[in-house]
Amino acid sequence: MGVGRQIGAILSLALAAAILSAFFHPKRPAWRVVESTEELRWQISLDEAKQLAAANEVLWIDARSRETFEDSSLPNAILLNTDEWGDLMFEHMDVLQSAMDRPVVVYCDGTRCAESHEVATRLRELLGLEPVYVLKGDWRDLE
């Protein structure tokens, strides 16, 4: 058997072993990124948000920038973003305290959706609000 064939056979066996371990090894890495269960727990779809709003009085929180909020937002939504957190918390404290007994839904648009997760986490951890959901989808579909 020539050296080239031996190298080919060794590489073939190594490739087969790699493929088998990728699919059958008990400690194989995930093939896709999995969101944390904590984040998934607090996400709400557009349909679920519509049902929640029909059944309860929902506090809508817009986590986008002031400029985009002033351009358009859901009716009765309040602005609460991470950039102006301290000022806006003080401004909306009465509304937030009245939401202790009702659901809260935080939304943003696709470019800053990490902001809505951050705002929702802060509301749960710092104010003790619960439930505080993050809207999964485009808030404009709720109008």
Side-chain angles (χ1 to χ4, degrees):
M1 182 181 255
V3 173
R5 291 184 123 192
Q6 288 177 346
I7 292 174
I10 291 171
L11 287 176
S12 297
L13 289 172
L15 180 61
I19 290 172
L20 287 172
S21 68
F23 287 104
F24 299 110
H25 195 280
K27 293 184 179 178
R28 68 184 180 274
W31 286 98
R32 57 185 160 71
V33 176
V34 178
E35 293 183 68
S36 75
T37 55
E38 186 64 22
E39 285 185 16
L40 288 175
R41 175 182 177 210
W42 296 111
Q43 285 186 359
I44 189 169
S45 69
L46 290 167
D47 290 336
E48 292 169 328
K50 288 176 185 177
Q51 291 172 1
L52 187 65
N56 300 299
E57 185 181 351
V58 174
L59 173 61
W60 298 97
I61 296 183
D62 192 323
R64 301 174 301 151
S65 68
R66 181 175 293 279
E67 295 79 29
T68 55
F69 174 78
E70 290 172 353
D71 285 342
S72 64
S73 64
L74 286 175
N76 300 323
I78 65 170
L79 174 65
L80 187 59
N81 58 39
T82 56
D83 296 335
E84 303 174 76
W85 180 260
D87 294 335
L88 292 171
M89 282 289 297
F90 181 73
E91 181 180 328
H92 299 300
M93 188 53 72
D94 292 339
V95 176
L96 292 168
Q97 286 178 343
S98 71
M100 289 293 188
D101 57 347
R102 60 186 172 139
V104 177
V105 178
V106 182
Y107 69 90
C108 61
D109 45 37
T111 58
R112 293 178 57 109
C113 273
E115 293 293 313
S116 59
H117 287 282
E118 178 64 27
V119 169
T121 300
R122 287 182 184 187
L123 289 171
R124 282 191 296 271
E125 292 177 357
L126 298 177
L127 291 181
L129 288 176
E130 199 169 306
V132 180
Y133 299 105
V134 174
L135 183 66
K136 187 172 67 175
D138 192 346
W139 64 271
R140 289 175 280 265
D141 292 335
L142 292 170
E143 295 182 300

